[in-house]
Amino acid sequence: MDDLEIRKAGLKVTLPRIKILELLREHTDRHLSAEDVYKLLIGCESDVGLATVYRVLTQFESAGLVKRHNFEGGQSVFELDRGGHHDHIVCLDCGHVEEFIDEVIEKRQRTIVKEKGFALEKHALILYAHCSRGNCPNRNR
Amino acid sequence: MDDLEIRKAGLKVTLPRIKILELLREHTDRHLSAEDVYKLLIGCESDVGLATVYRVLTQFESAGLVKRHNFEGGQSVFELDRGGHHDHIVCLDCGHVEEFIDEVIEKRQRTIVKEKGFALEKHALILYAHCSRGNCPNRNR
DNA sequence: TGTTAAATGCGAATTCTTCTCGTTTGTACA
DNA sequence: TGTACAAACGAGAAGAATTCGCATTTAACA
Protein backbone atom coordinates (compact mmCIF):
# COMPACT_ATOMS: atom_id res chain seq x y z
CA MET A 1 0.00 0.00 0.00
CA ASP A 2 1.10 3.53 -0.69
CA ASP A 3 0.37 4.62 2.85
CA LEU A 4 3.20 2.67 4.31
CA GLU A 5 5.93 4.12 2.14
CA ILE A 6 4.76 7.65 2.74
CA ARG A 7 4.53 7.04 6.46
CA LYS A 8 7.93 5.41 6.52
CA ALA A 9 9.30 8.57 4.91
CA GLY A 10 8.09 10.49 7.94
CA LEU A 11 5.39 12.29 5.98
CA LYS A 12 1.72 12.57 6.69
CA VAL A 13 -0.43 10.39 4.51
CA THR A 14 -2.48 12.87 2.53
CA LEU A 15 -4.57 12.55 -0.60
CA PRO A 16 -2.20 14.50 -2.85
CA ARG A 17 0.69 12.32 -1.78
CA ILE A 18 -1.19 9.09 -2.29
CA LYS A 19 -2.42 10.19 -5.70
CA ILE A 20 0.99 11.32 -6.88
CA LEU A 21 2.64 8.10 -5.82
CA GLU A 22 -0.12 6.19 -7.57
CA LEU A 23 0.43 8.11 -10.80
CA LEU A 24 4.15 7.48 -10.75
CA ARG A 25 3.46 3.79 -10.32
CA GLU A 26 1.17 3.81 -13.33
CA HIS A 27 3.60 5.53 -15.66
CA THR A 28 6.85 3.69 -15.75
CA ASP A 29 7.37 3.83 -19.51
CA ARG A 30 7.75 7.59 -19.60
CA HIS A 31 9.03 9.77 -16.78
CA LEU A 32 6.66 12.49 -15.71
CA SER A 33 7.32 16.17 -15.22
CA ALA A 34 5.63 18.08 -12.41
CA GLU A 35 3.38 19.61 -15.03
CA ASP A 36 2.48 16.15 -16.35
CA VAL A 37 1.56 14.99 -12.87
CA TYR A 38 -0.48 18.12 -12.30
CA LYS A 39 -2.46 17.65 -15.50
CA LEU A 40 -3.08 13.99 -14.82
CA LEU A 41 -4.39 14.88 -11.38
CA ILE A 42 -6.78 17.44 -12.78
CA GLY A 43 -8.05 14.85 -15.20
CA CYS A 44 -9.10 12.64 -12.33
CA GLU A 45 -11.15 14.78 -9.95
CA SER A 46 -8.44 15.32 -7.30
CA ASP A 47 -7.89 19.04 -6.95
CA VAL A 48 -4.20 19.36 -6.27
CA GLY A 49 -2.29 22.60 -6.77
CA LEU A 50 0.82 22.77 -8.90
CA ALA A 51 2.87 24.05 -5.98
CA THR A 52 1.88 21.00 -4.00
CA VAL A 53 2.96 18.73 -6.81
CA TYR A 54 6.39 20.32 -6.81
CA ARG A 55 6.57 20.22 -3.03
CA VAL A 56 5.55 16.60 -2.80
CA LEU A 57 7.88 15.48 -5.57
CA THR A 58 10.77 17.25 -3.90
CA GLN A 59 9.92 15.68 -0.55
CA PHE A 60 9.63 12.28 -2.15
CA GLU A 61 13.03 12.86 -3.68
CA SER A 62 14.58 13.69 -0.31
CA ALA A 63 12.90 10.65 1.18
CA GLY A 64 14.33 8.42 -1.52
CA LEU A 65 10.95 7.54 -2.95
CA VAL A 66 11.52 9.13 -6.33
CA LYS A 67 14.45 10.17 -8.46
CA ARG A 68 14.70 13.44 -10.35
CA HIS A 69 16.35 13.58 -13.75
CA ASN A 70 17.30 16.52 -15.92
CA PHE A 71 16.74 15.25 -19.40
CA GLU A 72 16.87 17.74 -22.24
CA GLY A 73 14.01 20.15 -22.46
CA GLY A 74 14.49 22.25 -19.39
CA GLN A 75 12.09 20.63 -16.99
CA SER A 76 12.86 17.94 -14.47
CA VAL A 77 11.22 14.58 -14.77
CA PHE A 78 10.56 12.11 -12.00
CA GLU A 79 10.44 8.36 -11.64
CA LEU A 80 9.77 6.00 -8.80
CA ASP A 81 12.95 4.99 -7.04
CA ARG A 82 12.78 1.25 -6.70
CA GLY A 83 16.29 1.17 -5.34
CA GLY A 84 19.23 0.25 -7.49
CA HIS A 85 20.91 2.66 -9.82
CA HIS A 86 20.31 2.60 -13.54
CA ASP A 87 20.90 4.79 -16.56
CA HIS A 88 18.50 5.83 -19.29
CA ILE A 89 17.80 5.67 -22.97
CA VAL A 90 15.34 8.38 -23.93
CA CYS A 91 13.50 8.43 -27.23
CA LEU A 92 13.83 11.89 -28.75
CA ASP A 93 10.56 11.45 -30.60
CA CYS A 94 8.10 10.13 -28.06
CA GLY A 95 9.80 10.49 -24.71
CA HIS A 96 9.71 6.77 -24.08
CA VAL A 97 12.26 5.84 -21.46
CA GLU A 98 14.14 2.60 -21.22
CA GLU A 99 16.36 1.75 -18.29
CA PHE A 100 19.61 -0.11 -18.35
CA ILE A 101 22.59 -0.82 -16.23
CA ASP A 102 25.89 -1.93 -17.62
CA GLU A 103 28.62 -3.12 -15.35
CA VAL A 104 31.34 -2.53 -17.91
CA ILE A 105 30.44 1.13 -18.10
CA GLU A 106 30.02 1.45 -14.35
CA LYS A 107 33.43 -0.02 -13.76
CA ARG A 108 35.13 2.14 -16.38
CA GLN A 109 33.63 5.22 -14.78
CA ARG A 110 35.06 4.38 -11.42
CA THR A 111 38.45 3.74 -12.96
CA ILE A 112 38.48 6.97 -14.94
CA VAL A 113 37.51 9.10 -11.98
CA LYS A 114 40.09 7.48 -9.75
CA GLU A 115 42.82 8.01 -12.35
CA LYS A 116 42.01 11.71 -12.47
CA GLY A 117 42.24 11.99 -8.71
CA PHE A 118 38.55 12.65 -8.13
CA ALA A 119 36.16 10.93 -5.75
CA LEU A 120 33.04 9.84 -7.62
CA GLU A 121 29.81 10.91 -6.03
CA LYS A 122 27.24 10.02 -8.68
CA HIS A 123 26.78 10.14 -12.40
CA ALA A 124 24.22 10.76 -15.09
CA LEU A 125 24.31 8.83 -18.32
CA ILE A 126 21.56 9.47 -20.82
CA LEU A 127 21.49 8.02 -24.29
CA TYR A 128 19.27 10.02 -26.61
CA ALA A 129 17.98 7.88 -29.42
CA HIS A 130 15.06 7.09 -31.66
CA CYS A 131 12.98 4.13 -30.70
CA SER A 132 11.02 1.96 -33.06
CA ARG A 133 7.70 1.56 -31.36
CA GLY A 134 4.62 1.61 -33.52
CA ASN A 135 3.09 4.59 -31.82
CA CYS A 136 6.26 6.58 -31.67
CA PRO A 137 7.11 8.77 -34.66
CA ASN A 138 6.48 12.43 -34.17
CA ARG A 139 4.58 12.06 -30.96
CA ASN A 140 6.85 14.81 -29.75
CA ARG A 141 6.97 14.64 -26.00
CA MET B 1 41.99 35.09 -34.99
CA ASP B 2 38.47 35.11 -33.64
CA ASP B 3 37.16 37.05 -36.61
CA LEU B 4 37.58 34.20 -39.00
CA GLU B 5 35.60 31.65 -37.04
CA ILE B 6 32.75 34.05 -36.54
CA ARG B 7 32.76 35.01 -40.17
CA LYS B 8 32.93 31.40 -41.25
CA ALA B 9 29.82 30.80 -39.18
CA GLY B 10 28.03 33.30 -41.35
CA LEU B 11 27.77 35.85 -38.57
CA LYS B 12 28.82 39.47 -38.55
CA VAL B 13 31.99 40.15 -36.63
CA THR B 14 30.85 42.31 -33.74
CA LEU B 15 32.46 43.29 -30.48
CA PRO B 16 30.15 41.22 -28.28
CA ARG B 17 30.84 38.14 -30.35
CA ILE B 18 34.57 38.63 -30.32
CA LYS B 19 34.60 39.24 -26.57
CA ILE B 20 32.45 36.23 -25.78
CA LEU B 21 34.55 33.93 -27.90
CA GLU B 22 37.64 35.32 -26.20
CA LEU B 23 36.20 34.64 -22.76
CA LEU B 24 35.33 31.08 -23.63
CA ARG B 25 38.87 30.57 -24.81
CA GLU B 26 40.23 31.88 -21.54
CA HIS B 27 38.08 29.67 -19.32
CA THR B 28 38.51 26.07 -20.27
CA ASP B 29 38.81 24.70 -16.74
CA ARG B 30 35.27 25.61 -15.83
CA HIS B 31 32.34 25.88 -18.17
CA LEU B 32 30.61 29.23 -18.10
CA SER B 33 26.93 29.99 -17.77
CA ALA B 34 25.40 32.88 -19.69
CA GLU B 35 25.30 34.76 -16.41
CA ASP B 36 29.00 34.08 -15.84
CA VAL B 37 29.85 35.42 -19.28
CA TYR B 38 27.69 38.48 -18.70
CA LYS B 39 29.39 39.28 -15.41
CA LEU B 40 32.86 38.78 -16.84
CA LEU B 41 32.01 41.16 -19.65
CA ILE B 42 30.81 43.83 -17.26
CA GLY B 43 34.04 43.48 -15.36
CA CYS B 44 36.00 44.45 -18.47
CA GLU B 45 34.45 47.62 -19.83
CA SER B 46 32.49 46.03 -22.70
CA ASP B 47 28.86 46.86 -22.20
CA VAL B 48 27.06 43.80 -23.44
CA GLY B 49 23.47 43.02 -22.55
CA LEU B 50 22.43 39.72 -21.03
CA ALA B 51 20.03 39.11 -23.89
CA THR B 52 22.88 39.45 -26.32
CA VAL B 53 24.95 36.96 -24.38
CA TYR B 54 22.16 34.40 -24.62
CA ARG B 55 21.61 35.20 -28.28
CA VAL B 56 25.26 34.93 -29.19
CA LEU B 57 25.80 31.73 -27.26
CA THR B 58 22.80 30.15 -28.92
CA GLN B 59 24.02 31.25 -32.34
CA PHE B 60 27.49 29.93 -31.61
CA GLU B 61 25.89 26.66 -30.62
CA SER B 62 23.98 26.39 -33.89
CA ALA B 63 27.14 27.27 -35.74
CA GLY B 64 29.04 24.53 -33.97
CA LEU B 65 31.39 26.94 -32.22
CA VAL B 66 30.26 26.08 -28.73
CA LYS B 67 28.51 23.24 -26.94
CA ARG B 68 25.77 23.66 -24.39
CA HIS B 69 25.55 21.34 -21.39
CA ASN B 70 22.88 20.90 -18.78
CA PHE B 71 24.83 20.10 -15.67
CA GLU B 72 22.99 20.09 -12.37
CA GLY B 73 21.92 23.44 -11.06
CA GLY B 74 19.31 24.51 -13.53
CA GLN B 75 21.32 26.71 -15.79
CA SER B 76 23.05 25.76 -19.02
CA VAL B 77 26.80 26.06 -19.29
CA PHE B 78 28.84 26.52 -22.43
CA GLU B 79 32.24 25.45 -23.66
CA LEU B 80 34.18 25.99 -26.84
CA ASP B 81 33.59 23.20 -29.30
CA ARG B 82 36.97 22.18 -30.52
CA GLY B 83 35.46 19.31 -32.42
CA GLY B 84 35.54 15.79 -31.13
CA HIS B 85 33.08 14.50 -28.62
CA HIS B 86 33.98 14.09 -24.96
CA ASP B 87 32.29 13.52 -21.65
CA HIS B 88 32.70 15.38 -18.37
CA ILE B 89 33.74 15.05 -14.79
CA VAL B 90 32.36 17.95 -12.78
CA CYS B 91 33.56 18.83 -9.30
CA LEU B 92 30.55 19.30 -7.05
CA ASP B 93 32.51 21.66 -4.84
CA CYS B 94 34.21 24.10 -7.17
CA GLY B 95 32.68 23.50 -10.57
CA HIS B 96 36.00 22.49 -12.06
CA VAL B 97 35.44 20.50 -15.23
CA GLU B 98 37.63 17.75 -16.58
CA GLU B 99 37.05 16.21 -19.97
CA PHE B 100 37.54 12.62 -20.92
CA ILE B 101 36.71 10.21 -23.64
CA ASP B 102 36.69 6.49 -23.15
CA GLU B 103 36.37 4.18 -26.08
CA VAL B 104 35.25 1.27 -23.95
CA ILE B 105 32.28 3.27 -22.71
CA GLU B 106 31.51 4.68 -26.13
CA LYS B 107 31.47 1.24 -27.65
CA ARG B 108 29.30 -0.24 -24.90
CA GLN B 109 26.78 2.53 -25.39
CA ARG B 110 26.42 1.77 -29.06
CA THR B 111 26.00 -1.92 -28.31
CA ILE B 112 23.39 -1.36 -25.65
CA VAL B 113 21.31 0.96 -27.77
CA LYS B 114 21.42 -1.37 -30.72
CA GLU B 115 20.37 -4.32 -28.57
CA LYS B 116 17.31 -2.40 -27.40
CA GLY B 117 16.34 -1.57 -30.96
CA PHE B 118 17.02 2.14 -30.73
CA ALA B 119 19.10 4.33 -33.03
CA LEU B 120 21.58 6.35 -30.98
CA GLU B 121 21.57 10.04 -31.70
CA LYS B 122 23.80 11.42 -28.96
CA HIS B 123 24.49 10.98 -25.29
CA ALA B 124 25.36 12.84 -22.15
CA LEU B 125 27.63 11.33 -19.53
CA ILE B 126 28.50 13.42 -16.55
CA LEU B 127 30.44 12.14 -13.58
CA TYR B 128 29.83 14.24 -10.50
CA ALA B 129 32.75 14.02 -8.12
CA HIS B 130 34.95 15.85 -5.67
CA CYS B 131 38.28 17.02 -6.97
CA SER B 132 41.36 17.49 -4.91
CA ARG B 133 42.68 20.82 -6.04
CA GLY B 134 44.11 23.12 -3.45
CA ASN B 135 41.65 25.90 -4.04
CA CYS B 136 38.67 23.68 -4.24
CA PRO B 137 36.90 22.79 -1.00
CA ASN B 138 33.65 24.61 -0.43
CA ARG B 139 34.10 27.14 -3.20
CA ASN B 140 30.53 26.27 -4.02
CA ARG B 141 29.88 27.32 -7.56
C1' DT C 1 -13.22 14.28 19.51
C1' DG C 2 -9.92 18.32 20.21
C1' DT C 3 -5.43 20.16 19.65
C1' DT C 4 -1.63 21.05 17.05
C1' DA C 5 1.89 20.82 13.83
C1' DA C 6 2.11 19.65 9.20
C1' DA C 7 0.25 20.08 4.59
C1' DT C 8 -2.45 22.42 1.21
C1' DG C 9 -4.02 25.84 -2.42
C1' DC C 10 -3.58 30.07 -4.24
C1' DG C 11 -1.25 33.80 -6.08
C1' DA C 12 2.92 36.37 -5.85
C1' DA C 13 7.84 36.06 -6.35
C1' DT C 14 12.23 34.02 -8.36
C1' DT C 15 15.18 32.36 -11.70
C1' DC C 16 16.65 31.40 -16.19
C1' DT C 17 15.84 32.38 -20.85
C1' DT C 18 13.63 34.37 -24.92
C1' DC C 19 11.17 37.97 -27.30
C1' DT C 20 10.07 42.80 -28.94
C1' DC C 21 11.31 46.89 -30.65
C1' DG C 22 13.54 51.12 -31.48
C1' DT C 23 18.43 52.18 -32.27
C1' DT C 24 23.13 51.13 -33.76
C1' DT C 25 26.57 48.97 -36.61
C1' DG C 26 29.04 45.76 -39.93
C1' DT C 27 29.28 44.89 -44.79
C1' DA C 28 28.86 45.15 -49.60
C1' DC C 29 28.96 47.98 -53.27
C1' DA C 30 28.93 52.17 -55.50
C1' DT D 1 35.47 56.43 -48.61
C1' DG D 2 30.42 57.13 -48.26
C1' DT D 3 25.98 55.13 -48.15
C1' DA D 4 22.20 51.79 -47.84
C1' DC D 5 20.35 47.93 -45.65
C1' DA D 6 20.09 43.87 -43.27
C1' DA D 7 21.88 42.15 -39.18
C1' DA D 8 22.90 42.85 -34.45
C1' DC D 9 22.38 45.33 -30.24
C1' DG D 10 20.56 46.89 -25.41
C1' DA D 11 16.89 47.37 -22.40
C1' DG D 12 13.06 45.96 -20.58
C1' DA D 13 8.86 43.09 -21.07
C1' DA D 14 7.34 38.46 -21.46
C1' DG D 15 7.50 33.50 -20.80
C1' DA D 16 8.39 29.02 -18.67
C1' DA D 17 9.67 26.34 -14.72
C1' DT D 18 9.92 26.38 -9.98
C1' DT D 19 9.62 28.16 -5.23
C1' DC D 20 7.76 31.07 -1.54
C1' DG D 21 4.38 33.20 1.81
C1' DC D 22 0.40 32.90 4.11
C1' DA D 23 -4.25 31.98 5.46
C1' DT D 24 -6.94 27.74 5.66
C1' DT D 25 -7.49 22.77 6.02
C1' DT D 26 -6.32 18.24 7.64
C1' DA D 27 -3.93 14.02 9.56
C1' DA D 28 -2.13 12.23 13.78
C1' DC D 29 -2.30 11.14 18.32
C1' DA D 30 -3.58 11.96 22.83
Side-chain angles (χ1 to χ4, degrees):
Chain A
M1 213 66 280
D2 292 336
D3 298 27
L4 260 172
E5 299 194 49
I6 298 173
R7 203 178 305 272
K8 266 194 290 184
L11 299 168
K12 281 194 193 176
V13 179
T14 64
L15 217 70
R17 286 177 181 155
I18 294 173
K19 284 280 176 192
I20 290 172
L21 207 47
E22 219 171 274
L23 276 180
L24 289 170
R25 258 193 245 289
E26 290 166 9
H27 294 82
T28 49
D29 64 318
R30 170 148 155 33
H31 294 357
L32 301 176
S33 67
E35 189 77 29
D36 290 335
V37 171
Y38 177 63
K39 282 182 188 155
L40 286 167
L41 285 172
I42 285 181
C44 71
E45 100 278 346
S46 332
D47 222 357
V48 179
L50 183 55
T52 299
V53 173
Y54 275 104
R55 249 185 318 234
V56 169
L57 286 172
T58 302
Q59 291 160 339
F60 281 1
E61 187 190 10
S62 308
L65 288 178
V66 312
K67 271 192 184 142
R68 176 195 304 255
H69 301 291
N70 299 296
F71 295 167
E72 292 198 334
Q75 64 202 120
S76 302
V77 292
F78 300 83
E79 69 165 327
L80 269 189
D81 186 349
R82 277 149 299 163
H85 158 79
H86 59 253
D87 295 304
H88 296 92
I89 305 177
V90 181
C91 176
L92 287 164
D93 302 314
C94 69
H96 174 69
V97 173
E98 197 103 3
E99 304 173 355
F100 74 91
I101 172 89
D102 184 84
E103 261 318 316
V104 177
I105 291 179
E106 300 290 321
K107 194 171 292 178
R108 285 298 295 161
Q109 289 179 359
R110 290 192 292 268
T111 307
I112 291 163
V113 167
K114 197 183 295 176
E115 275 172 7
K116 300 257 184 192
F118 284 67
L120 186 59
E121 180 77 33
K122 58 183 171 177
H123 73 265
L125 170 56
I126 306 162
L127 308 181
Y128 294 100
H130 301 284
C131 80
S132 44
R133 301 195 306 170
N135 62 338
C136 167
N138 304 58
R139 209 195 94 208
N140 262 331
R141 61 156 324 209
Chain B
M1 209 74 275
D2 291 339
D3 299 27
L4 260 171
E5 299 195 50
I6 297 174
R7 204 178 302 271
K8 266 195 291 184
L11 299 168
K12 280 195 193 174
V13 180
T14 64
L15 218 72
R17 286 179 180 151
I18 294 173
K19 283 281 176 193
I20 291 173
L21 207 45
E22 219 172 275
L23 277 179
L24 289 170
R25 258 192 247 289
E26 288 167 10
H27 294 82
T28 49
D29 64 317
R30 171 148 154 31
H31 294 358
L32 301 175
S33 66
E35 189 77 28
D36 291 334
V37 171
Y38 176 62
K39 282 182 187 152
L40 286 167
L41 285 171
I42 285 181
C44 70
E45 100 279 345
S46 332
D47 221 359
V48 179
L50 183 55
T52 299
V53 173
Y54 275 105
R55 246 184 322 232
V56 170
L57 287 172
T58 304
Q59 290 161 339
F60 281 1
E61 187 191 9
S62 307
L65 289 177
V66 312
K67 272 191 185 147
R68 177 196 302 256
H69 301 290
N70 299 295
F71 294 168
E72 291 199 332
Q75 67 201 115
S76 301
V77 293
F78 299 83
E79 69 165 328
L80 268 189
D81 185 349
R82 278 152 297 164
H85 158 79
H86 58 252
D87 294 305
H88 295 92
I89 305 177
V90 182
C91 176
L92 287 164
D93 302 315
C94 68
H96 174 70
V97 172
E98 197 102 6
E99 303 173 356
F100 73 92
I101 172 87
D102 185 85
E103 262 316 317
V104 177
I105 291 180
E106 300 290 322
K107 194 170 292 178
R108 284 300 295 164
Q109 288 180 0
R110 290 192 292 269
T111 307
I112 291 162
V113 167
K114 197 183 293 177
E115 275 172 7
K116 299 257 185 192
F118 283 67
L120 185 59
E121 179 77 32
K122 58 183 172 178
H123 73 266
L125 170 57
I126 305 162
L127 308 181
Y128 294 99
H130 301 281
C131 81
S132 43
R133 300 194 308 169
N135 62 337
C136 168
N138 302 59
R139 210 195 95 208
N140 262 329
R141 57 159 324 202

